[in-house]
Amino acid sequence: MERTPLSLATTRRLFLAGAGALLVVRPAGATPETMAAAIRQVTGGKPVTPGKVKLTIPPLVENGNAVAVTISADSPMTEKDHVTAIHLFTQKNPLPNVIGIRLGARAGKAEVSTRIRLADTQQLTALCEMSDGTFWSDTADVILTLSACLEDPV
Amino acid sequence: MAVPARTLINVPPKAKRGDVILIRTLISHVMENGFRVDNMGKPIPRNIITSMVCTYNGEEIFNATLHPAISANPFITFHTVATESGTIAFKWTGDNGFEAEASASISVE
């Protein structure tokens, strides 16, 4: 009876392990750390306080290709006191940035909405910069069933 | 861009002075995010709209920087104060020299 030489068995095991490793390789995604870095880049290291901003997103999303998001800020929007920028960040998309908006007192109401892509169940962070240079944030958790971003093209 | 992008903008035609009006914009664009591969496993290059700027009688009132996480056919809504009659103009720019423009007129009384 012939037995598989040990070296061959090892190579096969190694090959299978290698194939397994290949399967799990994916483009490096954003992590809570890279999101924090992206936020730091916007704030320039200034402290961010939770509050004043409201991030509205459905808590349970079926399809990550188009998720409606509304970000509104509590501000009188006067020449003296208004929102100058609104940003949105994700933790687990391939890139942490989603959108960056600059506006001014002429907006009248600090509320924007758009549709975004989500790659995974994750937490989103909205960031607002006020005219006095302070930063405010809000977070929202989203549970996702179908991922966008990395799926096969149609 | 060989095919001009279709845009759809919604600005109230009339407003009272000082009113806060809602502006809704939609533009047709694939927003290819650059992370996907085609059937042959070749990466599909990124092709997105990177910026959208809105001006009210020439003055910039809204400026958005878009990243690949924005859905295909970017839809963006925002507000502005109706200050005077005139035109509200929109300009989108993106990868591969993409450019699109649209405008709407508003009469303020």
Side-chain angles (χ1 to χ4, degrees):
Chain A
M1 197 171 95
E2 212 175 301
R3 296 188 59 188
T4 318
L6 189 64
S7 62
L8 180 61
T10 323
T11 1
R12 180 158 51 188
R13 206 169 299 141
L14 278 176
F15 173 76
L16 286 174
L22 276 179
L23 280 177
V24 296
V25 167
R26 289 222 141 178
T31 57
E33 290 78 44
T34 56
M35 184 178 81
I39 292 177
R40 262 200 307 281
Q41 207 167 21
V42 167
T43 60
K46 284 187 187 162
V48 179
T49 325
K52 281 201 183 182
V53 193
K54 193 161 181 289
L55 171 60
T56 313
I57 188 165
L60 179 65
V61 175
E62 210 168 87
N63 186 339
N65 280 304
V67 186
V69 185
T70 303
I71 307 165
S72 56
D74 179 18
S75 163
M77 293 308 274
T78 55
E79 204 51 57
K80 262 187 148 178
D81 179 10
H82 58 262
V83 175
T84 56
I86 295 175
H87 297 267
L88 183 63
F89 302 95
T90 64
Q91 277 185 347
K92 290 182 181 171
N93 274 17
L95 294 172
N97 298 71
V98 177
I99 193 166
I101 291 162
R102 278 193 283 127
L103 36 82
R106 287 195 63 173
K109 187 177 175 188
E111 185 178 305
V112 294
S113 25
T114 184
R115 292 181 192 145
I116 67 165
R117 290 184 173 129
L118 289 175
D120 205 346
T121 294
Q122 57 183 310
Q123 194 178 58
L124 300 170
T125 302
L127 188 73
C128 243
E129 185 182 358
M130 300 294 175
S131 50
D132 59 1
T134 53
F135 289 91
W136 301 82
S137 73
D138 188 23
T139 55
D141 291 292
V142 185
I143 295 172
L144 186 78
T145 46
L146 177 67
S147 160
C149 301
L150 304 170
E151 86 284 24
D152 295 323
V154 213
Chain B
M1 283 307 283
V3 187
R6 282 172 56 109
T7 58
L8 190 62
I9 51 177
N10 187 318
V11 174
K14 276 186 198 163
K16 283 205 185 88
R17 193 174 300 275
D19 270 5
V20 174
I21 55 169
L22 171 68
I23 296 173
R24 294 186 288 174
T25 69
L26 182 69
I27 180 165
S28 67
H29 196 282
V30 289
M31 292 296 279
E32 186 57 60
N33 61 29
F35 294 102
R36 307 194 305 160
V37 292
D38 63 12
N39 297 339
M40 307 302 287
K42 223 173 67 184
I44 305 172
R46 191 184 94 155
N47 177 21
I48 65 166
I49 292 177
T50 49
S51 141
M52 179 198 153
V53 179
C54 174
T55 53
Y56 193 145
N57 282 347
E59 194 187 331
E60 185 178 305
I61 53 167
F62 182 87
N63 180 327
T65 307
L66 278 58
H67 294 273
I70 298 294
S71 299
N73 306 325
F75 167 77
I76 296 176
T77 75
F78 56 96
H79 296 80
T80 192
V81 178
T83 50
E84 55 191 345
S85 299
T87 49
I88 300 183
F90 305 85
K91 189 172 182 188
W92 293 264
T93 48
D95 293 339
N96 309 323
F98 175 86
E99 270 187 16
E101 283 182 35
S103 66
S105 57
I106 179 168
S107 76
V108 177
E109 55 212 31

